[in-house]
Amino acid sequence: SGLDEALNATSSVRFRDAETDEIVGYAVCGRAYDIGYLQRLAVHPLHLRRGIGAALVQDSLRWLRRRRGRMMLVNTQESNAEALALYQRLGFRMGSDHLTVLSWTAPS
């Protein structure tokens, strides 16, 4: 139901998976107007630290740029240090509200 919710949260949505012999990760991103939302990102635990998550996030950012998006938002738990490090390494910055929301702004 959570995946269904993410796939229907915005009018423009993209589901992308990463495969070897099986699906090892996926990302769901959406767009409303010029703001993108990285709604889900998952990588199988046996395939962590191989660049799969980074590749999926970068694919989502390219998808948003092609649609003239100017910003992407993602939220994650404060305790998820690996996810926070990944997003920050890819150019996301912490938001100023009480949720752990990171944003990425398109380069000028």
Side-chain angles (χ1 to χ4, degrees), residues 33-107:
Y33 303 102
D34 61 348
I35 298 180
Y37 302 91
L38 184 54
Q39 296 157 299
R40 298 285 187 277
L41 177 67
V43 176
H44 190 284
L46 295 177
H47 296 274
L48 293 174
R49 300 181 187 269
R50 297 183 184 175
I52 296 166
L56 288 165
V57 173
Q58 290 168 328
D59 179 77
S60 297
L61 293 172
R62 282 190 298 273
W63 175 84
L64 179 65
R65 278 189 215 123
R66 284 193 304 269
R67 283 150 187 78
R68 302 198 194 300
R70 64 175 183 84
M71 173 188 287
M72 182 172 278
L73 301 173
V74 61
N75 71 325
T76 190
Q77 294 87 3
E78 270 185 66
S79 61
N80 194 341
E82 288 187 43
L84 289 172
L86 168 68
Y87 296 133
Q88 289 173 329
R89 190 170 62 249
L90 294 174
F92 285 81
R93 298 293 168 245
M94 295 294 288
S96 59
D97 54 9
H98 295 282
L99 295 173
T100 304
V101 176
L102 294 91
S103 66
W104 171 90
T105 304

Side-chain angles (χ1 to χ4, degrees), residues 15-19 23-27 56:
F15 176 89
R16 188 68 152 192
D17 65 21
E19 299 180 32
I23 294 177
V24 296
Y26 70 89
L56 288 165

